[in-house]
Amino acid sequence: MKRYLYFIISLLLATPALAQNVDVTEFSQNVALSDSLFQPLTEDHLRVNAYPTISEVYQIPCYDLYNRYWDVHHLRSQMLEIPFADDRLMLILVQSENEPFVFPCVYDELVLHYGLTKKGVFHPGIDLKVSPQSLVKSCFDGVVRMAADYGDYGLMVVVRHYNGLETVYAHLDKVCVKPGQMVKAGNVIGQTGRSGHVSDDILHFEIRFMNEYLDPEQVMDVEYETLIKNTLVLQSANFHIIPIDQYNASNAPVNKPAKLVAPKLEPIPTPRPVKPVEVPASVEQPAQKDVNEESAVLVPRQEAQDSEVEYYVVKKGEGLYRIAINHKTTVDKLMKLNNIGNPDQIQEGQRLRVR
């Protein structure tokens, strides 16, 4: 009788999730919603608050930006277009309505940085030496995308945040969350450990955007356990991009943080087309860049020889209206040339194209 009642209740709970207008695939949000409803809670949930669970697609952070990508089984199974504008992308790390940034754990020392190791192996995050069973906390507000035992990562948690960043917490001993749970900065998501074939108690921590690697020390000051700035400005050179064929579509991950082969200086494939997005006027627009295929190093593109192209540096107290008058143009044209959404956001020292 109890099993029958449980089955009826499960069907009733599943109805809202199945009613979503989303394709039912392995990677769809329906899977995440279903997992959130039916996955049994572990004993570790008794140590933390019962975090709320998403029930609608609109609750997924940056769902449209990620092209409806919400994979609860794999760390990375798609390559996505990073929405640069003139090779610039600005992210606000903590909005006023969100909880302040919280460093992921109490640690003893930073034992491995992001980038190439002495053995020539690429390390996609930072490793923090910790005491056994230290609490691991979400750095920002967000929603848990993955919580799984994942190859060399061991027990790990991935949280997607509302600005599009994702944070990865690996080598855990215990996990206290599941896919689809909404967490605030500072909420406990697990405990440190030695899962994933590591010999010491280590927290492996990564920051990613659109499935690509970023240096965590570009975002936060590890020594002082604070954000470097609340505004993060990124360029294509800030990302380390691994071809998707180094990943497996099955449940056996190929992506292993300690065994990624360092990239050689070989010609870079033709970049994927990117969709321009509006960049706030507070971001200075740099010269565009091209890829030098012989050296695989970003080099400045030669400026256009068109004599009609002209730039102006904003002086203290100037606004778009005055600049438009002085250069015999209009505010609308200046906003269009510089991808400006709010004419009141220009700042002293900003480089504007005036024709």
Side-chain angles (χ1 to χ4, degrees):
M1 184 63 181
K2 290 183 179 180
R3 292 184 178 179
Y4 178 75
L5 289 175
Y6 177 77
F7 178 73
I8 296 298
I9 292 173
S10 300
L11 288 178
L12 292 175
L13 289 174
T15 301
L18 296 176
Q20 299 302 318
N21 186 24
V22 181
D23 295 333
V24 183
T25 67
E26 182 183 5
F27 304 137
S28 74
Q29 174 57 8
N30 285 342
V31 174
L33 295 176
S34 176
D35 286 349
S36 300
L37 290 170
F38 296 115
Q39 181 173 332
L41 298 178
T42 65
E43 294 181 359
D44 299 307
H45 281 76
L46 300 176
R47 307 185 183 203
V48 297
N49 295 327
Y51 303 140
T53 301
I54 57 174
S55 58
E56 301 288 345
V57 170
Y58 74 86
Q59 294 176 298
I60 304 172
C62 297
Y63 188 50
D64 291 331
L65 176 65
Y66 270 77
N67 194 28
R68 298 163 64 90
Y69 171 89
W70 185 256
D71 188 343
V72 300
H73 301 293
H74 305 91
L75 188 54
R76 180 179 184 269
S77 57
Q78 287 187 17
M79 294 190 74
L80 302 171
E81 297 177 359
I82 299 175
F84 291 115
D86 294 330
D87 201 36
R88 282 289 180 99
L89 176 69
M90 186 180 79
L91 299 176
I92 304 300
L93 297 177
V94 179
Q95 301 284 2
S96 58
E97 65 271 18
N98 297 135
E99 294 295 320
F101 167 81
V102 173
F103 199 77
C105 68
V106 176
Y107 74 101
D108 297 326
E109 62 177 316
L110 174 59
V111 294
L112 191 57
H113 294 270
Y114 172 94
L116 294 179
T117 66
K118 294 180 180 180
K119 296 181 179 180
V121 176
F122 178 76
H123 187 249
I126 59 174
D127 284 358
L128 302 171
K129 185 177 180 180
V130 294
S131 299
Q133 298 185 336
S134 298
L135 295 180
V136 178
K137 302 176 181 180
S138 177
C139 291
F140 306 99
D141 295 2
V143 177
V144 177
R145 178 168 71 81
M146 282 186 66
D149 191 347
Y150 199 75
D152 280 0
Y153 279 85
L155 284 174
M156 52 89 78
V157 172
V158 179
V159 180
R160 183 183 297 177
H161 308 288
Y162 296 103
N163 55 9
L165 289 177
E166 289 191 335
T167 49
V168 180
Y169 314 79
H171 301 317
L172 304 181
D173 176 62
K174 294 179 181 177
V175 170
C176 303
V177 289
K178 59 182 181 177
Q181 283 193 318
M182 303 170 68
V183 293
K184 293 287 188 179
N187 283 167
V188 175
I189 58 176
Q191 291 182 346
T192 59
R194 301 185 181 186
S195 63
H197 310 296
V198 291
S199 57
D200 294 320
D201 291 279
I202 294 293
L203 176 67
H204 174 78
F205 177 77
E206 296 179 9
I207 296 181
R208 302 182 177 212
F209 182 76
M210 304 292 283
N211 291 348
E212 310 300 351
Y213 301 118
L214 286 172
D215 184 354
E217 293 183 84
Q218 184 182 357
V219 178
M220 62 187 190
D221 187 314
V222 177
E223 181 180 359
Y224 293 98
E225 302 182 7
T226 60
L227 294 177
I228 295 175
K229 291 183 179 179
N230 197 44
T231 301
L232 178 64
V233 180
L234 300 170
Q235 297 177 283
S236 56
N238 296 131
F239 292 91
H240 183 81
I241 298 177
I242 300 292
I244 199 67
D245 58 11
Q246 292 193 21
Y247 292 77
N248 196 338
S250 70
N251 286 328
V254 177
N255 181 19
K256 301 179 180 181
K259 297 183 179 180
L260 289 176
V261 179
K264 298 180 180 180
L265 291 181
E266 298 175 350
I268 296 177
T270 303
R272 305 185 304 278
V274 298
K275 298 183 293 184
V277 296
E278 183 178 298
V279 176
S282 59
V283 179
E284 181 181 349
Q285 303 298 323
Q288 292 180 333
K289 296 182 178 180
D290 277 338
V291 175
N292 183 328
E293 293 188 354
E294 293 183 358
S295 63
V297 176
L298 289 176
V299 296
R301 176 184 296 171
Q302 293 184 351
E303 295 186 359
Q305 300 299 319
D306 190 345
S307 60
E308 294 186 0
V309 175
E310 183 179 345
Y311 291 89
Y312 178 76
V313 177
V314 179
K315 298 178 181 177
K316 185 176 182 179
E318 285 188 319
L320 277 185
Y321 179 77
R322 179 187 297 181
I323 296 172
I325 293 297
N326 292 341
H327 291 84
K328 297 180 181 181
T329 183
T330 65
V331 172
D332 289 340
K333 288 183 179 179
L334 290 178
M335 292 176 65
K336 184 176 181 181
L337 283 173
N338 295 278
N339 293 324
I340 296 175
N342 186 342
D344 297 326
Q345 290 183 347
I346 65 169
Q347 297 181 355
E348 178 185 0
Q350 183 174 343
R351 185 169 179 259
L352 296 178
R353 180 179 173 182
V354 294
R355 65 181 65 207

